[in-house]
Amino acid sequence: MKDLSNTLFEDDYLVVVDKPAGVLSVPGIVGGTSVQQWLREARGSGDIHVVHRLDMATSGVLVAAKSMEMYKAMQALFAARKVRKEYIALLEGVPRMNEGTVALPLSADYDNRPRQRVDYVTGKEAVTRYRVLETRLFNGKECALVRFEPLTGRTHQLRVHAACKEGLDCPIVGDALYGNAAQRLMLHAASLAFCHPVSGEEVFIEADFR
């Protein structure tokens, strides 16, 4: 079983871990270890529920609730866009602008599942802020290290907004769906910030991109 012992935050209501790349957030049809399964086994409780999901290939900050009541409270914060999320990604190439906002509606590409696509007719609103942090050589090519702030939470939002020509036109390194396969997808959930539903205190949790 993958080592998920890197707990970033824990109290009586929540536990937050740094999810490794290659691990599911919740049990899926493909099998394999999930964060939810690991947390339940490690703490001897079936009443632990992962609040949101990261793609299997994405690493970083993942929140789980220790009761269904807290799960619903945290999901309400996400649904109301009261959780600030930031990601770090390494892109193939360098965007034309050093910072900006990508606003491109997305829908499922039913002929090419699980891909998503830009869809101006039936797509749902998807908005991403970005800022280039630095450029570096990766496999002999100039690449950009970018900080993303998704203002909405659509499936594959950052991956599509990075890769599509209407967006940054720079796929995330290692994105086999929208770019080129590599050892791993270089996308990391770097931080989360929210108001704790019980204490009312501001919580900020971050995990280094490795």
Side-chain angles (χ1 to χ4, degrees):
M1 179 177 289
K2 296 273 188 180
D3 180 12
L4 298 180
S5 60
N6 190 8
T7 300
L8 304 171
F9 172 89
E10 186 167 6
D11 62 11
D12 292 338
Y13 308 97
L14 299 169
V15 55
V16 185
V17 300
D18 183 1
K19 185 186 89 67
V23 176
L24 293 166
S25 297
V26 297
I29 59 174
V30 298
T33 302
S34 70
V35 171
Q36 183 165 281
Q37 173 193 352
W38 183 88
L39 287 171
R40 288 177 175 181
E41 292 177 358
R43 285 157 177 74
S45 171
D47 199 19
I48 294 180
H49 313 274
V50 167
V51 176
H52 59 118
R53 299 186 186 189
L54 299 176
D55 290 343
M56 183 174 178
T58 303
S59 59
V61 180
L62 190 68
V63 181
K66 293 185 175 181
S67 69
M68 183 55 67
E69 181 181 15
M70 182 55 56
Y71 170 78
K72 291 179 179 178
M74 286 299 301
Q75 281 220 316
L77 289 182
F78 275 93
R81 301 182 185 177
K82 294 182 178 180
V83 178
R84 181 175 179 182
K85 301 170 283 184
E86 291 191 336
Y87 290 72
I88 299 292
L90 185 65
L91 305 186
E92 293 184 22
V94 180
R96 293 179 293 275
M97 304 291 291
N98 283 334
E99 61 182 304
T101 300
V102 179
L104 296 169
L106 302 178
S107 68
D109 187 346
Y110 293 106
D111 294 328
N112 297 284
R113 290 175 179 268
R115 288 173 58 95
Q116 307 293 303
R117 64 183 178 184
V118 175
D119 181 348
Y120 295 103
V121 179
T122 62
K124 295 182 179 179
E125 179 188 27
V127 182
T128 304
R129 291 178 183 153
Y130 74 92
R131 178 165 60 91
V132 175
L133 301 177
E134 63 179 61
T135 59
R136 59 175 67 168
L137 288 178
F138 183 81
N139 290 338
K141 182 179 181 180
E142 187 178 25
C143 296
L145 190 69
V146 173
R147 182 177 296 275
F148 285 123
E149 182 185 354
L151 303 185
T152 52
R154 306 303 176 201
T155 300
H156 294 180
Q157 176 176 318
L158 301 182
R159 297 166 69 177
V160 178
H161 280 179
C164 71
K165 292 188 180 302
E166 305 99 311
L168 302 186
D169 198 19
C170 297
I172 297 172
V173 170
D175 193 340
L177 277 180
Y178 304 101
N180 300 297
Q183 186 174 4
R184 64 153 290 190
L185 176 70
M186 299 297 281
L187 177 63
H188 178 75
S191 68
L192 282 178
F194 58 90
C195 181
H196 196 292
V198 177
S199 71
E201 295 180 353
E202 287 294 324
V203 177
F204 176 74
I205 304 162
E206 60 183 340
D208 292 337
F209 184 27
R210 297 183 297 276

